[in-house]
PDB file of all heavy atoms in Angstrom:
ATOM      1  N   ASN O  19      45.977   9.372 -16.025  1.00 96.00           N
ATOM      2  CA  ASN O  19      46.000   7.960 -15.648  1.00 96.00           C
ATOM      3  C   ASN O  19      47.398   7.360 -15.740  1.00 96.00           C
ATOM      4  O   ASN O  19      47.713   6.433 -14.997  1.00 96.00           O
ATOM      5  CB  ASN O  19      45.022   7.170 -16.516  1.00 96.00           C
ATOM      6  CG  ASN O  19      43.596   7.353 -16.069  1.00 96.00           C
ATOM      7  OD1 ASN O  19      43.319   7.443 -14.884  1.00 96.00           O
ATOM      8  ND2 ASN O  19      42.688   7.437 -17.014  1.00 96.00           N
ATOM      9  N   ASN O  32      45.028   0.320  -7.924  1.00 93.00           N
ATOM     10  CA  ASN O  32      44.742   1.519  -8.710  1.00 93.00           C
ATOM     11  C   ASN O  32      45.385   1.478 -10.093  1.00 93.00           C
ATOM     12  O   ASN O  32      44.926   2.157 -11.004  1.00 93.00           O
ATOM     13  CB  ASN O  32      45.224   2.761  -7.966  1.00 93.00           C
ATOM     14  CG  ASN O  32      44.320   3.114  -6.817  1.00 93.00           C
ATOM     15  OD1 ASN O  32      43.166   2.698  -6.785  1.00 93.00           O
ATOM     16  ND2 ASN O  32      44.836   3.865  -5.864  1.00 93.00           N
ATOM     17  N   SER O  33      46.444   0.691 -10.247  1.00 95.00           N
ATOM     18  CA  SER O  33      47.086   0.597 -11.560  1.00 95.00           C
ATOM     19  C   SER O  33      46.154  -0.054 -12.577  1.00 95.00           C
ATOM     20  O   SER O  33      46.135   0.351 -13.744  1.00 95.00           O
ATOM     21  CB  SER O  33      48.377  -0.210 -11.471  1.00 95.00           C
ATOM     22  OG  SER O  33      49.344   0.513 -10.768  1.00 95.00           O
ATOM     23  N   LEU O  34      45.396  -1.038 -12.156  1.00 95.00           N
ATOM     24  CA  LEU O  34      44.451  -1.684 -13.065  1.00 95.00           C
ATOM     25  C   LEU O  34      43.362  -0.708 -13.493  1.00 95.00           C
ATOM     26  O   LEU O  34      43.003  -0.636 -14.670  1.00 95.00           O
ATOM     27  CB  LEU O  34      43.832  -2.917 -12.408  1.00 95.00           C
ATOM     28  CG  LEU O  34      42.810  -3.679 -13.248  1.00 95.00           C
ATOM     29  CD1 LEU O  34      43.481  -4.228 -14.502  1.00 95.00           C
ATOM     30  CD2 LEU O  34      42.183  -4.788 -12.444  1.00 95.00           C
ATOM     31  N   ILE O  35      42.873   0.072 -12.550  1.00 96.00           N
ATOM     32  CA  ILE O  35      41.846   1.064 -12.857  1.00 96.00           C
ATOM     33  C   ILE O  35      42.405   2.126 -13.799  1.00 96.00           C
ATOM     34  O   ILE O  35      41.744   2.537 -14.755  1.00 96.00           O
ATOM     35  CB  ILE O  35      41.305   1.695 -11.557  1.00 96.00           C
ATOM     36  CG1 ILE O  35      40.600   0.627 -10.728  1.00 96.00           C
ATOM     37  CG2 ILE O  35      40.362   2.851 -11.860  1.00 96.00           C
ATOM     38  CD1 ILE O  35      40.260   1.052  -9.335  1.00 96.00           C
ATOM     39  N   ALA O  36      43.635   2.552 -13.564  1.00 96.00           N
ATOM     40  CA  ALA O  36      44.272   3.536 -14.437  1.00 96.00           C
ATOM     41  C   ALA O  36      44.495   2.958 -15.834  1.00 96.00           C
ATOM     42  O   ALA O  36      44.309   3.653 -16.836  1.00 96.00           O
ATOM     43  CB  ALA O  36      45.595   3.997 -13.839  1.00 96.00           C
ATOM     44  N   LEU O  37      44.864   1.696 -15.908  1.00 96.00           N
ATOM     45  CA  LEU O  37      45.072   1.044 -17.204  1.00 96.00           C
ATOM     46  C   LEU O  37      43.769   0.956 -17.992  1.00 96.00           C
ATOM     47  O   LEU O  37      43.746   1.232 -19.202  1.00 96.00           O
ATOM     48  CB  LEU O  37      45.664  -0.347 -16.985  1.00 96.00           C
ATOM     49  CG  LEU O  37      46.337  -1.036 -18.150  1.00 96.00           C
ATOM     50  CD1 LEU O  37      47.481  -0.196 -18.671  1.00 96.00           C
ATOM     51  CD2 LEU O  37      46.840  -2.398 -17.720  1.00 96.00           C
ATOM     52  N   ILE O  38      42.686   0.634 -17.308  1.00 96.00           N
ATOM     53  CA  ILE O  38      41.368   0.601 -17.951  1.00 96.00           C
ATOM     54  C   ILE O  38      40.983   2.003 -18.423  1.00 96.00           C
ATOM     55  O   ILE O  38      40.441   2.178 -19.517  1.00 96.00           O
ATOM     56  CB  ILE O  38      40.318   0.013 -16.989  1.00 96.00           C
ATOM     57  CG1 ILE O  38      40.593  -1.467 -16.753  1.00 96.00           C
ATOM     58  CG2 ILE O  38      38.912   0.221 -17.530  1.00 96.00           C
ATOM     59  CD1 ILE O  38      39.774  -2.085 -15.637  1.00 96.00           C
ATOM     60  N   GLY O  39      41.280   3.022 -17.625  1.00 97.00           N
ATOM     61  CA  GLY O  39      40.999   4.402 -18.014  1.00 97.00           C
ATOM     62  C   GLY O  39      41.787   4.838 -19.230  1.00 97.00           C
ATOM     63  O   GLY O  39      41.280   5.554 -20.097  1.00 97.00           O
ATOM     64  N   ILE O  40      43.038   4.400 -19.315  1.00 97.00           N
ATOM     65  CA  ILE O  40      43.869   4.725 -20.474  1.00 97.00           C
ATOM     66  C   ILE O  40      43.293   4.085 -21.734  1.00 97.00           C
ATOM     67  O   ILE O  40      43.179   4.725 -22.781  1.00 97.00           O
ATOM     68  CB  ILE O  40      45.323   4.286 -20.238  1.00 97.00           C
ATOM     69  CG1 ILE O  40      45.972   5.155 -19.165  1.00 97.00           C
ATOM     70  CG2 ILE O  40      46.132   4.335 -21.522  1.00 97.00           C
ATOM     71  CD1 ILE O  40      47.304   4.649 -18.676  1.00 97.00           C
TER      72      ILE O  40
END
Side-chain angles (χ1 to χ4, degrees):
N19 282 323
N32 285 339
S33 290
L34 179 63
I35 296 169
L37 198 59
I38 292 170
I40 291 169

